[in-house]
Every structure is written in C-alpha cells, then in structure tokens.
C-alpha cells in the first residue's frame, strides 16, 4: 500500500504490514490508572473512511488477554508499535 499525504496515520503504512508482531497499550478498567500492554499479529493494513477523512487502520489478532487468538480487532495504525517484522520466504 502506497502512503498518501491526505491519509491520517499514513507514516505508519509502509512500516507495518501483515504478519508483523506489534504492541499497543490500553487503560485498565480498575481503580488504578495504569496501562496494559497488548501484543498481536497484524492480519491486514488498510485505509478506511472515518470521521470525514481517510484513516490508516490495521486488523490484529491479539495474543494476550481473554480472547487471545479468537477475535480480530481494529486499531488506528499510528497507535501500534512494531516489535518484530514478518520474514517473507
């Protein structure tokens, strides 16, 4: 996918792709204001139209948590950090 200047989060499009292992943070839902580190595998990187503009998104299979491996989630691409790049053979 070629990055475009008018896509929100476009700088991450060429850095992250399918098969990459990534991490992101979510807030805990308990009394403490703390973060949970999540890890997952990218299945798809795409551009979606949200809030009146094009936004870079990713579909991820989470590897930790209650639903690990069972549910594919959507995340804003700029909120994801790369852990390991997929190796193509």
């Amino acid at each position: 996918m070629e990055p475009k200047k008018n896509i929100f989060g476009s700088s991450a499009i060429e850095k992250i792709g399918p098969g990459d292992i990534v991490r992101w943070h979510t807030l805990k839902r308990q009394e403490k204001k703390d973060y949970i580190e999540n890890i997952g595998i990218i299945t798809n990187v795409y551009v979606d139209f949200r809030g009146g503009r094009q936004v870079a998104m990713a579909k991820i299979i989470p590897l930790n948590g209650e639903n690990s491996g069972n549910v594919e989630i959507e995340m804003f691409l700029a909120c994801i950090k790369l852990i390991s790049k997929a190796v193509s053979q």
Side-chain angles (χ1 to χ4, degrees), residues 7-61:
I7 298 172
F8 187 44
S10 65
S11 62
I13 289 175
E14 57 186 43
K15 296 176 187 171
I16 298 175
D20 292 349
I21 298 175
V22 295
R23 69 181 171 91
W24 67 98
H25 292 98
T26 54
L27 287 172
K28 283 187 177 180
R29 294 185 182 187
Q30 298 172 354
E31 295 173 9
K32 285 186 174 182
K33 291 185 178 178
D34 203 3
Y35 295 97
I36 300 171
E37 184 173 77
N38 302 288
I39 297 173
I41 299 174
I42 299 284
T43 58
N44 190 19
V45 174
Y46 61 99
V47 176
D48 197 11
F49 194 77
R50 295 186 179 201
R53 68 186 303 180
Q54 292 183 320
V55 179
M57 300 291 292
K59 288 191 178 183
I60 305 170
I61 297 174

